[in-house]
């Protein structure tokens, strides 16, 4: 249930976030979807019920997955077409590396420092991502207009 429910939620959130990114801007959706995540990680510190943990985790994964279509679209706008495969490969490798090393680092922080440290570290990293994301430039208006014409 812990792994299935977030995966089902991602089925719905990614299509919705892609549509929202095309309609309202990629950068805006990317940053707005990251904003609630540190607060939700902080909420884990106060939960003692496993059902609440599953629900909070599902919401976290949903917001996190909503950044994927926007980030891929931004990459495809910024990177020249002959390098897009390499850029997407680096992005996906970085994401998978985080998913591989993240749990190992969390266990180390949990056992070495405190049970709250992995959650605080996650919240700090997401806040840093929000700050960096706010410096991104939105894609050109011409491309957004072309998308609007195609979608109508």
């Amino acid at each position: 249930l812990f792994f299935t429910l977030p995966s089902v939620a991602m089925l719905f959130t990614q299509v919705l976030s892609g549509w929202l990114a095309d309609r309202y801007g990629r950068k805006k959706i990317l940053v707005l979807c990251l904003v609630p995540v540190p607060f939700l990680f902080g909420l884990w510190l106060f939960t003692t019920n496993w059902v609440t943990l599953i629900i909070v985790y599902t919401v976290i994964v949903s917001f996190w997955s909503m950044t994927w279509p926007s980030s891929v679209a931004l990459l495809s706008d910024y990177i020249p077409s002959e390098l897009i495969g390499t850029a997407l490969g680096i992005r996906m490798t970085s994401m998978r590396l985080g998913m591989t090393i993240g749990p190992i680092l969390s266990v180390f922080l949990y056992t070495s420092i405190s049970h709250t440290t992995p959650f605080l570290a996650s919240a700090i990293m997401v806040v840093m991502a929000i700050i960096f994301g706010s410096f991104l430039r939105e894609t050109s208006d011409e491309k957004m207009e072309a998308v609007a014409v195609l979608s109508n």
Side-chain angles (χ1 to χ4, degrees):
L1 191 61
F2 187 78
F3 297 107
T4 304
L5 194 57
S7 296
V8 171
M10 280 192 290
L11 289 172
F12 299 104
T13 58
Q14 287 196 349
V15 173
L16 174 65
S17 68
W19 177 79
L20 290 170
D22 287 341
R23 186 165 178 101
Y24 298 108
R26 294 169 176 124
K27 175 188 169 185
K28 186 182 296 183
I29 298 303
L30 182 69
V31 173
L32 287 176
C33 288
L34 284 174
V35 168
V37 174
F39 301 108
L40 292 167
F41 275 125
L43 188 61
W44 270 27
L45 299 173
F46 306 107
T47 57
T48 56
N49 183 344
W50 67 272
V51 175
T52 307
L53 284 174
I54 291 174
I55 293 169
V56 171
Y57 182 65
T58 300
V59 175
I60 289 171
V61 169
S62 296
F63 277 116
W64 176 59
S65 73
M66 288 179 77
T67 65
W68 297 352
S70 296
S71 64
V72 170
L74 279 170
L75 262 179
S76 66
D77 287 342
Y78 286 130
I79 305 297
S81 61
E82 62 272 2
L83 296 174
I84 195 69
T86 303
L88 291 174
I90 291 170
R91 180 206 177 272
M92 294 305 294
T93 301
S94 301
M95 192 172 81
R96 298 292 179 235
L97 190 61
M99 294 173 97
T100 304
I101 293 176
I104 297 168
L105 183 60
S106 292
V107 168
F108 172 76
L109 292 173
Y110 182 90
T111 58
S112 299
I113 301 172
S114 167
H115 71 284
T116 60
T117 307
F119 306 111
L120 294 174
S122 297
I124 289 168
M125 286 187 265
V126 173
V127 168
M128 289 174 30
I130 292 168
I131 292 169
F132 291 136
S134 66
F135 288 107
L136 289 173
R137 291 177 294 143
E138 186 60 72
T139 55
S140 67
D141 290 334
E142 297 88 30
K143 288 184 181 178
M144 294 302 287
E145 287 173 10
V147 168
V149 169
L150 291 174
S151 65
N152 288 333

